[in-house]
Amino acid sequence: MGSVGESRWVDGSEVDSESPPWSLLDENDSRQGFGSMRRRLVKKPNKVNSFDVEAMEIAGAHHHHSKDLSVWKTLAMAFQTLGVVYGDLGTSPLYVFTDVFSKVPIKSEVDILGALSLVIYTISLIPLAKYVFVVLKANDNGEGTSMVIGDGILTPAMSVMSAVSGLQGEISWFGTNAVVVVSIIILVGLFSIQQFGTGKVGFLFAPVLGLWFFSLGSIGIYNLVKHDISVIRALNPAYIYFFFKKNSGAAWSALGGCVLCITGAEAMFADLGHFCVESIQIAFTCVVFPCLLLAYMGQASYLMKYPDSASRIFYDSIPESLFWPVFVIATLAAMIASQAMISATFSCVKQAMSLGCFPRLKIVHTSRKLMGQIYIPVINYFLMIMCIVVVSIFRRTTDIANAYGIAEVGVMIVSTTLVTLVMLLIWKTNLFLALCFPLVFGSVELVYLSAVLSKIKEGGWLPLVFATFFLCVMYTWNYGSVLKYQSEVREKISMDFMLELGSTLGTVRVPGIGLLYNELVQGIPSIFGQFLLSLPAIHSTIVFVCIKYVPVPLKRKGFFSVEFVRRTTIYSNVLPDTVTKMSGR
């Protein structure tokens, strides 16, 4: 070929003439020596390429996403969050006081009021003050960050078993084995419907959770009015001091059960890609928070009159005529509670993959409008198998609760650390204010950590095993990926060298196009040199394909799969004389 090469995008549009990506050669230039060629082959810096433009458009779309939503759409999305985000947090009244008073027997009203005060201020401090008003602002184009894969395994097991165990006190022959079998059947059904997508599951589950929160608030009010409304004294934090003064070491151990009142709260920012910030904030402040407070106050009111009911407080505090309707709703709510952490796990795995820290898996996008609504089949079935194993081995909610507490506190501490870094490095917050955040929240979380770590031998080892396993997988994948890329960069072949050797290789050119995948955005990969040495002929046009991820949802066969925008470098007729290079997407 004797014509001068040109630079175009694959779609046919011309590259900005003021900043051409490459200076190209013609036949006459090839006779003028390699010094001239090197000068002509030097890549000139681009001002803005198509990836920059597309990335800015997508980032802008995310940035204004919440502003573009109407009030009704925001409220509708807030309703959906009840079924996806707040299921786990909403089912915590099933087991919190049961676990707390298994460590601290009720001997006086101080025990009840102190435990209630601990629950009230734990919910107010961590989910409300920390997550709703601070952590939700630390997002990257609609993604939050968290370490919740372990919770994605423990949440379904804990929630479902807690709900099903209510039958043990109502049906005489319903024992532990029956609880395990029924729980496993429910878990299999739960994970089987994940493929339909977060949006559909949210609309399916949200009415049930809405009814569940209404039930919690209504029953709480009923118990307050009927038994002992004076438990509102627990709003005075002094009862926390009295609780620890009276019970000392036992009260410290009970913190492991108290922290269960905020299980699943991290789903607020882990599921942020599925919903907008405003919808999550509205749902929590207007529905979840007040209903949970009423539920715990109602249970405490019942315990003031019937302290022996601590082991089965949730179901005992329900009016007898409403037991079966509430049991059905509680079981459905427990299933839905698992949805929050399953969706959060999908989000975390996707984020790890985008950072090159997790093996590449198939991701199915289930929404055209919301980028974060995804489904990962491999992770879904892995979680299902692990949940079944946990239920089969532990068989009791008490041991699972010990494991659950460690996972929950670990997530809280990690989120506090990361948000502090965001405050300092991204938001440029005043140093004093930035340090107040870990000082206030971190100190509380460290106290909880000291309590739950004492339960390592009693089931607390489980989340540590899961964390170690995933850490090894992520570290190994990232380490290998970095080594692979460094090797390709170090061993890439220069264009000058290819031109110098082109006429001496004697390689036969055949019509057609050859595709060669590599990680290099620019340059010729070393593997191409192996092809030239091993193969007697190559195609007349060689395309070096480098895939970079741009988050654009694309509908495929009923679902929305991610569309990979391919940036290609095309060297046409590399051998022997001239070079035509085309950059594209």
Side-chain angles (χ1 to χ4, degrees):
M1 291 178 62
S3 60
V4 177
E6 59 179 351
S7 296
R8 289 180 179 270
W9 297 113
V10 168
D11 60 14
S13 59
E14 293 187 0
V15 178
D16 183 4
S17 59
E18 294 182 1
S19 58
W22 286 78
S23 295
L24 305 170
L25 297 176
D26 58 22
E27 287 184 350
N28 294 329
D29 291 331
S30 63
R31 302 188 184 98
Q32 295 177 0
F34 289 107
S36 174
M37 284 189 289
R38 289 190 179 92
R39 289 192 298 271
R40 297 295 301 276
L41 284 170
V42 173
K43 183 182 178 186
K44 298 180 180 179
N46 291 335
K47 295 179 180 177
V48 179
N49 62 29
S50 65
F51 279 101
D52 296 324
V53 174
E54 188 161 11
M56 287 188 289
E57 290 176 353
I58 293 173
H62 280 289
H63 181 69
H64 298 289
H65 176 66
S66 60
K67 296 182 180 179
D68 293 338
L69 292 175
S70 67
V71 175
W72 290 110
K73 288 183 178 179
T74 301
L75 292 177
M77 195 173 291
F79 180 66
Q80 287 186 59
T81 64
L82 295 179
V84 177
V85 178
Y86 294 115
D88 188 20
L89 192 60
T91 55
S92 58
L94 285 170
Y95 45 77
V96 170
F97 277 155
T98 298
D99 194 79
V100 169
F101 293 119
S102 67
K103 276 86 173 178
V104 179
I106 298 176
K107 297 181 179 179
S108 69
E109 67 174 18
V110 172
D111 298 322
I112 299 173
L113 294 177
L116 177 59
S117 187
L118 272 172
V119 169
I120 291 174
Y121 285 100
T122 299
I123 296 176
S124 301
L125 190 65
I126 304 300
L128 183 63
K130 177 185 173 183
Y131 289 163
V132 170
F133 293 111
V134 180
V135 177
L136 285 181
K137 297 180 181 179
N139 69 85
D140 178 24
N141 290 331
E143 301 293 346
T145 179
S146 66
M147 296 176 61
V148 295
I149 297 178
D151 282 359
I153 297 171
L154 296 173
T155 296
M158 182 68 180
S159 300
V160 171
M161 286 194 71
S162 297
V164 175
S165 62
L167 292 177
Q168 286 184 292
E170 194 70 17
I171 302 176
S172 58
W173 57 265
F174 200 87
T176 302
N177 291 334
V179 171
V180 172
V181 172
V182 173
S183 299
I184 290 175
I185 294 173
I186 293 175
L187 288 171
V188 171
L190 172 68
F191 283 99
S192 299
I193 65 175
Q194 296 301 315
Q195 59 183 311
F196 297 108
T198 305
K200 294 180 181 179
V201 171
F203 270 117
L204 177 65
F205 285 169
V208 178
L209 258 297
L211 184 59
W212 168 251
F213 281 111
F214 174 78
S215 301
L216 288 178
S218 301
I219 295 173
I221 293 174
Y222 169 81
N223 285 323
L224 277 171
V225 174
K226 183 177 180 180
H227 300 296
D228 191 348
I229 198 172
S230 69
V231 294
I232 60 175
R233 290 177 291 166
L235 292 173
N236 181 358
Y239 281 99
I240 298 177
Y241 168 75
F242 299 147
F243 180 73
F244 277 93
K245 182 179 180 180
K246 178 180 180 295
N247 297 289
S248 59
W252 176 74
S253 179
L255 284 176
C258 179
V259 77
L260 297 178
C261 71
I262 56 173
T263 53
E266 63 275 9
M268 278 192 276
F269 53 89
D271 280 332
L272 189 55
H274 297 248
F275 305 98
C276 65
V277 173
E278 290 79 6
S279 64
I280 295 176
Q281 292 173 327
I282 291 172
F284 184 81
T285 55
C286 297
V287 179
V288 178
F289 183 65
C291 288
L292 286 178
L293 292 189
L294 288 173
Y296 286 115
M297 286 182 177
Q299 291 184 18
S301 178
Y302 187 88
L303 287 173
M304 294 286 281
K305 193 171 183 180
Y306 304 102
D308 294 334
S309 298
S311 61
R312 199 172 176 268
I313 175 58
F314 177 78
Y315 288 106
D316 283 352
S317 64
I318 299 172
E320 186 65 27
S321 61
L322 297 178
F323 173 83
W324 286 107
V326 173
F327 171 77
V328 172
I329 298 173
T331 303
L332 293 175
M335 293 176 59
I336 298 167
S338 308
Q339 173 64 36
M341 303 316 302
I342 294 171
S343 300
T345 302
F346 291 160
S347 296
C348 291
V349 171
K350 174 196 169 188
Q351 294 165 42
M353 289 171 60
S354 66
L355 294 173
C357 297
F358 204 87
R360 294 169 183 169
L361 303 173
K362 178 184 179 181
I363 297 179
V364 178
H365 285 254
T366 58
S367 172
R368 182 187 295 274
K369 295 181 180 179
L370 296 174
M371 199 69 57
Q373 294 192 1
I374 60 174
Y375 167 68
I376 307 178
V378 173
I379 298 299
N380 182 66
Y381 292 112
F382 172 80
L383 293 178
M384 181 182 72
I385 294 172
M386 290 296 102
C387 284
I388 294 174
V389 170
V390 169
V391 170
S392 302
I393 293 177
F394 284 88
R395 303 173 66 85
R396 295 192 309 161
T397 56
T398 304
D399 291 338
I400 299 178
N402 293 332
Y404 208 177
I406 291 181
E408 188 67 31
V409 176
V411 171
M412 291 193 301
I413 292 177
V414 169
S415 64
T416 298
T417 304
L418 294 179
V419 173
T420 302
L421 293 177
V422 170
M423 287 180 168
L424 293 173
L425 302 179
I426 308 299
W427 297 347
K428 306 296 183 183
T429 306
N430 179 275
L431 182 61
F432 175 76
L433 294 177
L435 293 180
C436 285
F437 181 79
L439 183 64
V440 173
F441 296 106
S443 58
V444 174
E445 292 161 1
L446 287 175
V447 172
Y448 276 123
L449 180 65
S450 64
V452 297
L453 285 179
S454 64
K455 307 299 180 183
I456 289 182
K457 294 182 179 180
E458 303 172 17
W461 55 268
L462 186 64
L464 300 180
V465 171
F466 285 139
T468 302
F469 170 74
F470 282 105
L471 177 63
C472 292
V473 171
M474 296 170 71
Y475 177 80
T476 302
W477 183 266
N478 179 258
Y479 180 74
S481 299
V482 170
L483 286 182
K484 180 176 179 292
Y485 182 76
Q486 290 177 344
S487 176
E488 290 192 1
V489 171
R490 183 172 58 252
E491 299 175 4
K492 68 180 180 180
I493 303 173
S494 68
M495 182 64 69
D496 289 351
F497 183 70
M498 291 300 302
L499 291 171
E500 184 177 3
L501 294 181
S503 59
T504 63
L505 289 175
T507 305
V508 177
R509 311 303 298 278
V510 297
I513 300 176
L515 301 177
L516 184 64
Y517 172 79
N518 70 105
E519 295 288 345
L520 297 176
V521 177
Q522 299 169 357
I524 303 174
S526 59
I527 191 65
F528 183 61
Q530 299 296 323
F531 285 153
L532 292 179
L533 295 175
S534 304
L535 302 178
I538 61 172
H539 292 94
S540 58
T541 300
I542 303 296
V543 181
F544 297 92
V545 183
C546 178
I547 298 178
K548 299 299 179 184
Y549 295 89
V550 176
V552 179
L554 183 66
K555 185 172 184 179
R556 295 186 186 277
K557 297 181 180 179
F559 293 104
F560 295 92
S561 301
V562 69
E563 177 183 15
F564 298 114
V565 177
R566 295 169 174 82
R567 181 165 187 168
T568 61
T569 302
I570 304 177
Y571 296 97
S572 178
N573 290 310
V574 171
L575 305 173
D577 296 321
T578 63
V579 177
T580 300
K581 181 177 184 300
M582 187 182 299
S583 296
R585 66 187 178 95

